[in-house]
Amino acid sequence: MKTNNSLVAYALLRVAMGVNMLGHGLARIPKLDAFSDNMVTNFQKSWLPSLSIKIFGLALPFAEFLIGLLLITGLFTYRTSVAGAILIILLLFGSSTIENWEAMGIQMIYALFFYQLITKINNNSYAADHLFKNKIRENESNRI
């Protein structure tokens, strides 16, 4: 495998986004009830039902943690990046219901990072995905 700047840059971007998402989850999981209650409070002026906000607030840190962990390891990178992008879309939707334009601006930056991870997936050489692809190819070759 030839090392080049695009492969290194992709790995660094993937890991950086993973650390970001993992950090969000790690910071919120220990104070899960307070975090979800705070979300319910922040979304009181929204037309979204409080119960749905509470459930989303309880699930969000675990989703962030899992997405972060998978991005750091480079396991299921494409699917994880799509899941991350969908999560950002949900956050954008929620932020729009309370007219939190500042948060939406930051969330759009996240969307752009996920766009890069998805569209440049062929640069995902330094990842667990790449190791597993080689292992699968070896097993298939041994069967022939």
Side-chain angles (χ1 to χ4, degrees):
M1 174 175 46
K2 183 179 177 183
T3 303
N4 70 42
N5 294 342
S6 296
L7 302 181
V8 171
Y10 187 90
L12 292 172
L13 177 65
R14 190 194 73 237
V15 171
M17 195 64 186
V19 168
N20 185 304
M21 297 297 286
L22 182 81
H24 275 81
L26 284 175
R28 293 171 174 167
I29 289 172
K31 54 184 179 186
L32 192 58
D33 284 329
F35 172 73
S36 63
D37 289 343
N38 188 47
M39 280 191 69
V40 170
T41 300
N42 289 340
F43 280 83
Q44 282 181 344
K45 64 180 181 175
S46 166
W47 52 266
L48 297 170
S50 292
L51 180 60
S52 66
I53 300 299
K54 177 73 175 176
I55 292 169
F56 187 79
L58 291 170
L60 178 61
F62 294 101
E64 292 169 329
F65 176 84
L66 183 59
I67 289 167
L69 185 64
L70 291 172
L71 286 175
I72 289 168
T73 62
L75 187 59
F76 311 117
T77 306
Y78 178 79
R79 289 180 178 163
T80 301
S81 297
V82 169
I86 291 169
L87 182 61
I88 296 302
I89 291 167
L90 292 172
L91 292 170
L92 280 161
F93 177 75
S95 294
S96 72
T97 67
I98 58 172
E99 300 180 36
N100 189 345
W101 312 126
E102 184 178 328
M104 290 182 74
I106 294 166
Q107 291 160 349
M108 286 303 299
I109 294 169
Y110 280 73
L112 288 171
F113 281 115
F114 281 115
Y115 167 83
Q116 286 295 317
L117 291 175
I118 293 166
T119 59
K120 305 291 185 184
I121 193 70
N122 290 334
N123 290 333
N124 193 34
S125 294
Y126 303 123
D129 287 338
H130 188 70
L131 297 174
F132 288 122
K133 282 182 187 175
N134 287 342
K135 193 70 168 166
I136 291 167
R137 285 185 193 132
E138 285 175 20
N139 289 339
E140 288 174 352
S141 296
N142 291 335
R143 289 183 195 162
I144 297 175

